[in-house]
Amino acid sequence: MTTAEDPVRVRRVPTAHGELITLDAGALAVAAAPGLGGRLLSVTLDGAEFLYRNPRLLDGALAPLPGVRPGPHDGPMSDWLNWGGDKTWPAPQGWDGPDQWAGPPDPVLDSGPYAARVERRAGAVTLVLTSGDDPRTGLRLERRVVLRPGSTAFDLVLTMTNTSASERRWALWNVTQLAGAPPDPAGAEGVYLGRAGSGRPATVALIAGTGRPRVLEAAPGVLHVPHQDVVGKVGFPDSAGWLAHVGAGRTLVQRFAVHEGPYPDGGSRAEVWMECPLAEGLPHLGGLLPRDHVVECEVLGPLTTLAPGASASLEVRFGVGPSVGPVEAATPAGYWAGLPRTGPGGRVSGVFVPYAAGPLEVGNGAGTPLLTLGALEPGRACHVRLPGDQVPPEGRELTAPLPGGGTVPVARLTVAEDGSPSFNS
């Protein structure tokens, strides 16, 4: 077990695509390939992999297979070298004019080399990946990957800068590829998304390769996109700023800010793309030929008009842990795998997976804890139980430690009109 005092180690290994840079915080390790569009190729917790990687392009050491030639490339989607992993693109995507990003493939932002440098501050390590200047979009992209000791979360801070001599209007768009699976009607796997209740549409249909992904209601305010045999994409204008992929034994959560104002793709703050193996390419998608079950969890920023030299940013917190059920709430300190429920005798119980070590506490409203519910270990499920008679009419706030220090509310327990405790994230 690692602690907050253990340093984040940095390893740089030469490969055929330039180098592989790994930030190792002990239980959590993140590896990036600057030469492959600045993408992350690996996120592991205790050695278990969370990201999808293309086994036809990369070997187990994340090096190109014999005969695979990395480097900037362009052309139709059938020519795209989809390495997998996590990358950043500009949105909207399209091929109708200069205000749409006509990729992938793309020789600068998706497949071009990124410069890389490592920064250390207050125990945290930041890997800064910077693209070249793209003449078509007028953008330079920067990806800052921040790991802190003793944590199972990392931050990804994205910045786009207008390097052209005229105004440009784009949105940041981060794409995380994860391993999908054939449909399992009895399973809880797939993508979960929180709704904001903003009045915006819950979903918007975007791309139908072989069909449109099916979206279910998992719980009040939570949507579920189960694994399924489909190639297509759905957008979520009413996103509450979090989504989570529940896979076989492991869960990856992303949390981000949402804003008022225009967003691409029908106002989508988040999107889910799914693909499944096909025997032939899809002509209406540039000959795209999926070979595997893949899920993309996509986070978008608002459309922003950038003057020459101006920048805009988007921050995404990634957290990883075990799959212990549907994700029904995500906080900066961890995620709830099923919200606290009221059981026999008014006892409230739930499962919380934290990103940092420390106590899970119930406050008394006076700045001091009323009681401690459990000792949290990063990336380990904590079963929470609170007797109902310890929830007063005014409610109680649950707090958990943040990566890097401090605490944050992760739940609020209140008493309903019938006297039973209830939960609000």
Side-chain angles (χ1 to χ4, degrees), residues 256-276:
F256 52 96
V258 296
H259 304 277
E260 293 301 323
Y263 275 73
D265 297 349
S268 297
R269 275 74 174 162
E271 299 174 355
V272 173
W273 162 269
M274 287 191 164
E275 59 184 57
C276 61

Side-chain angles (χ1 to χ4, degrees), residues 132-156:
D133 295 350
D134 178 31
R136 204 191 70 78
T137 62
L139 293 179
R140 178 193 306 133
L141 298 182
E142 180 185 87
R143 292 163 50 85
R144 300 176 68 90
V145 185
V146 185
L147 263 69
R148 298 172 180 85
S151 174
T152 53
F154 67 93
D155 292 331
L156 181 61

